[in-house]
């Protein structure tokens, strides 16, 4: 899925979003008066400019955002927002401290035992970014409110190419969410760093350029700014500082990966002249997250060749298999990697090679279970033909790690039990799936934990989605409502809006058209404010379906025309609407839970097709995977 399918463009005038390509050897601290005179001055206002810059080119996480928020805290006009900004600063500093804490770990395995985020980053190829994404979204909205309270007219992002990635995400989010009636002008100053091409055997030294250029392209694609070249000779006042990062070992670099600070991780990777096995593991996962899938497979092969421990070699083959199935959509190549992974373990048994061979075998069986279902979906075979194979893989895997209290074994047990519940649901065994879910993810497990509210909301909406897919809408509706209310209480509007899609759909399918109409309407406003394209599309379809069910076809047609014209979201072609034909209107077939990642905030590369959707039999995703295989 492309980023453009996730987000709507900003509502401000395009000349309120200026993207200036600077000549080489310039600095963003150029005469701001000149910039404001030339670009985006509101003649009726006295300019008040906030400059966001990295004074030393430090790409460490939140290196630019923290001083900016501190500066805003000193503004007398922002009032109670100062305390909110202070809490956000504390959260950012905590994230940085946790990254540094990982640097004291003994390699990657030590980092795994110290951080659950590091574990997720290294044991899977899917992102789990909810914590950092929520922080960035909350900070962006708070910064916007502070800018308006303090009467700023311009924000200048100076030398954007040397500002750390999480801070840039914050600024991009704030720019995207700037209200239509705002007088705020955003000026982005950047010097293109050169060109690169993705190809097999990408040199590590090119990773920083690749990481930054693709991300800057993502910002442009989301913000739709007015792109201009700085007039020659206008701002040549010095040389911009070079980008740099703190010196860290592989454990600390894992923290950058877990927090999606890929630029810092890429600079670290570029400095590794002869990377060892652990460093290759980390670099391969960085490449996966940058969309360099074949390069990731190549570096994993390099690590396998250098690896002397069979359990670790098994893990590397397993990760290779995940890249082949979940990103390159080649199940046969993936299974071949899993074969090599299990073969590696045979030598481990004979050689007493250390590690945890049983756990590594369990991970491989977990991957085989996924591949069995995926292969059946792609071949148009009945899922019943793959169900017993997948179930056998999962139960054998669980038996291997049934005992043991290490953090990675506990993590895998929960992963396997969750996948068993998903498998039962795929097979239509909803009662068994719900029982497994209830017994595995009891809410009491999170009591007293820092992420207790997130855990509770996650488990509630997982249960509700399962009930709804089983047809028990009446039971699902109040649980979706509770999870949505939790997210609203804790300032999580993105999650609250997504849960509103599920709650409203369940109301509709339960025949409560009036209540569903009210909720779809409320959430449509939320999605538009969040600039969520998928949200606007989902709620527009749902609201129109409710109008039709209530005998208000003209209101449905008017709504579809209005949203199409205002947001360029046409759920039916304009020519179809002109004819008054609404027969093709279909409510979205998905129930949304509390996602572990937020690509609309992350602005990172996304998998071309959703494996999770394909496994569940969502036909659009199955066909997308098939198309990518050709």
């Amino acid at each position: 899925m492309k980023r453009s399918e996730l987000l709507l463009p900003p509502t401000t005038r395009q000349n309120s979003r200026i993207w200036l390509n600077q000549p080489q050897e310039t600095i963003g601290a150029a005469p701001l008066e000149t910039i404001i005179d030339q670009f985006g001055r509101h003649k009726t206002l006295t300019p008040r400019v906030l400059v966001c810059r990295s004074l030393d080119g430090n790409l460490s996480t939140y290196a630019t955002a923290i001083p900016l928020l501190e500066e805003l805290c000193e503004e007398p006009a922002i009032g109670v927002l100062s305390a909110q900004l202070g809490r956000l600063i504390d959260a950012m500093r905590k994230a940085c401290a946790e990254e540094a804490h990982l640097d004291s770990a003994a390699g990657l395995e030590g980092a795994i035992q110290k951080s659950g985020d590091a574990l997720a980053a290294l044991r899977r190829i899917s992102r789990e970014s909810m914590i950092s994404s929520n922080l960035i979204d909350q900070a962006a909205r708070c910064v916007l409110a502070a800018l308006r309270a303090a009467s700023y007219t311009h924000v200048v992002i100076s030398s954007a190419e040397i500002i750390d990635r999480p801070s840039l995400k914050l600024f991009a989010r704030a720019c995207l969410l700037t209200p239509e009636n705002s007088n705020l002008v955003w000026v982005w100053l950047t010097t293109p760093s050169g060109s690169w091409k993705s190809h097999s055997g990408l040199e590590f030294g090119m990773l920083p350029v690749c990481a930054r250029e693709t991300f800057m392209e993502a910002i442009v694609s989301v913000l739709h700014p007015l792109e201009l070249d700085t007039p020659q000779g206008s701002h040549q006042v010095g040389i911009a500082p070079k980008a740099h990062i703190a010196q860290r070992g592989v454990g600390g670099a894992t923290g950058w990966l877990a927090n999606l600070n890929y630029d810092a991780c890429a600079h670290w990777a570029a400095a590794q002249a002869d990377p060892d096995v652990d460093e290759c593991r980390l670099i391969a996962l960085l490449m996966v997250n940058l969309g360099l899938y074949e390069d990731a497979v190549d570096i994993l092969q390099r690590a396998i060749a250098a690896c002397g421990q069979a359990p670790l070699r098994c893990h590397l083959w397993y990760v290779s298999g995940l890249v082949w199935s979940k990103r390159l959509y080649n199940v046969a190549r993936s299974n071949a990697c899993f074969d090599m992974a299990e073969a590696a373990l045979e030598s481990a048994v004979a050689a007493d090679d250390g590690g945890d061979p049983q756990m590594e075998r369990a991970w491989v069986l977990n991957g085989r279970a996924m591949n069995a279902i995926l292969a059946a979906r792609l071949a148009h075979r009945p899922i019943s033909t793959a169900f017993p194979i997948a179930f056998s893989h999962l139960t054998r895997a669980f038996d291997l790690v049934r005992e043991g209290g290490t953090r990675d074994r506990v993590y895998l047990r929960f992963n396997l039990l969750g996948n068993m519940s998903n498998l039962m649901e795929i097979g239509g065994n909803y009662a068994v799936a719900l029982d497994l879910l209830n017994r595995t993810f009891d809410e009491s497990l999170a009591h007293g934990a820092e992420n207790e509210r997130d855990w509770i909301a996650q488990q509630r909406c997982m249960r509700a989605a399962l009930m709804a897919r089983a047809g028990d809408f009446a039971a699902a509706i109040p649980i979706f409502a509770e999870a949505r209310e939790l997210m609203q209480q804790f300032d999580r509007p993105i999650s609250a809006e997504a849960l509103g899609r599920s709650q409203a759909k369940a109301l509709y399918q339960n025949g409560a058209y009036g209540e569903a109409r009210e909720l779809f309407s409320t959430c449509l406003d939320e999605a538009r404010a969040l600039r969520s394209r998928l949200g606007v599309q989902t709620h527009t379809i749902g609201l129109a379906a409710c109008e039709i069910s209530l005998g208000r076809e003209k209101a449905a047609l008017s709504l579809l025309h209005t949203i199409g014209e205002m947001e360029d979201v046409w759920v039916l072609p304009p020519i179809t609407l002109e004819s008054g034909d609404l027969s093709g209107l279909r409510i979205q077939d998905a129930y949304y839970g509390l996602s572990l990642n937020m690509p609309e905030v992350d602005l990172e590369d996304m998998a071309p097709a959703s494996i999770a959707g394909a496994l569940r039999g969502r036909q659009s995703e199955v066909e997308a995977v098939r198309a990518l295989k050709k």
Side-chain angles (χ1 to χ4, degrees), residues 179-200:
E180 184 177 10
N181 61 357
S182 171
N183 289 319
L184 196 61
V185 176
W186 292 82
V187 182
W188 297 74
L189 303 175
T190 181
T191 300
S193 55
S195 62
W196 71 279
K197 292 183 179 179
S198 176
H199 59 87
S200 182

Side-chain angles (χ1 to χ4, degrees), residues 59 152 247 256 271 349 434 522 565:
L59 295 179
Y152 280 99
Q247 288 189 348
W256 284 324
V349 174
L434 187 58
T522 297
E565 291 167 357

Side-chain angles (χ1 to χ4, degrees), residues 196-207 210 283 287 292-302:
W196 71 279
K197 292 183 179 179
S198 176
H199 59 87
S200 182
L202 180 73
E203 294 295 330
F204 295 160
M206 288 300 293
L207 277 173
C210 162
I283 293 169
M287 288 175 164
L292 304 170
Y293 307 132
E294 293 182 4
D295 291 301
V297 170
D298 288 344
I299 190 64
L300 285 168
Q301 290 301 307
R302 176 172 172 173

